[in-house]
Amino acid sequence: LPAPVSDVVDVVAVGEPLELAHLRHIADPVAIEEADTRALITLESSDGAVQVRLAHPLYGEVRRRRAPSTRLRRLRGLVAAELATCSDDIQVVVRRATLSLDSDLTPDPNLLVNAAHGAVWLADLQLADRLGDAAARAGAGAEASFVRAHALSWLGRGAEADAVLAGVDTSPFTDVERSRLAFLRAS
């Protein structure tokens, strides 16, 4: 494939489904048309927007397997940055944070905490644990530990949840935060 068309396929491979408007900000519009002409991508209308997906899942699998990890990290960062320009819908926030974890972007503690809460709300507790852990490592403070412990508890990993909470510095806590800690430890 010509390099610009490969770029389109690779961006969609790491970010699908991706709104056409967002893809146009990341990749060359002429290359997007070429990828569509070659039947490498499909366009579907959804909720007033056009979603772009790969025409076959194997295209993405092959491209992700063959691409250097540095390229994939850069592309995930581009998609995450582009998603930051759209709504604060919880699914978009979770998706953006998940992409940023495996990208070359500097971790955003607030994004990671919000996404961890969103992953709990979406019942993806494994992802909530992963996002909460990343948020804690990024310096998000006690809230990251709270959401992570909550997810671990729901996963039946109470001892791990208790260990996470035991590592929280409680000296600056308000009464409300102490209550939340006590509730999470009890559960």
Side-chain angles (χ1 to χ4, degrees):
L1 294 175
V5 176
S6 291
D7 289 344
V8 170
V9 173
D10 290 350
V11 167
V12 176
V14 300
E16 74 177 320
L18 198 58
E19 283 188 24
L20 180 59
H22 294 303
L23 181 58
R24 284 186 173 142
H25 289 131
I26 298 170
D28 177 22
V30 173
I32 295 169
E33 291 175 21
E34 179 69 18
D36 187 26
T37 301
R38 290 176 180 240
L40 298 170
I41 60 173
T42 61
L43 283 71
E44 304 166 357
S45 293
S46 173
D47 297 327
V50 177
Q51 299 287 323
V52 181
R53 294 180 183 273
L54 293 175
H56 195 285
L58 284 177
Y59 296 164
E61 191 174 318
V62 168
R63 295 301 298 184
R64 286 187 302 270
R65 188 172 293 147
R66 289 184 179 172
S69 61
T70 52
R71 177 177 174 75
L72 295 175
R73 292 182 64 77
R74 180 180 60 79
L75 293 176
R76 285 186 195 106
L78 288 173
V79 173
E82 180 60 30
L83 290 176
T85 66
C86 63
S87 76
D88 284 337
D89 176 77
I90 196 62
Q91 291 177 325
V92 173
V93 170
V94 170
R95 203 163 146 232
R96 190 174 130 218
T98 304
L99 285 165
S100 73
L101 285 179
D102 297 320
S103 76
D104 54 2
L105 297 176
T106 302
D108 177 346
N110 293 328
L111 170 66
L112 294 169
V113 167
N114 290 338
H117 280 292
V120 168
W121 186 80
L122 294 168
D124 191 341
L125 300 173
Q126 296 284 352
L127 181 57
D129 173 34
R130 184 173 176 227
L131 291 166
D133 181 49
R137 284 185 279 111
E143 191 61 31
S145 297
F146 285 172
V147 69
R148 182 169 184 229
H150 181 84
L152 288 168
S153 176
W154 278 43
L155 285 167
R157 295 163 49 192
E160 288 177 66
D162 196 44
V164 166
L165 294 173
V168 174
D169 176 19
T170 59
S171 61
F173 275 16
T174 64
D175 288 341
V176 171
E177 290 167 324
R178 281 189 189 84
S179 298
R180 284 182 69 202
L181 177 64
F183 174 78
L184 286 169
R185 290 195 92 170
S187 66

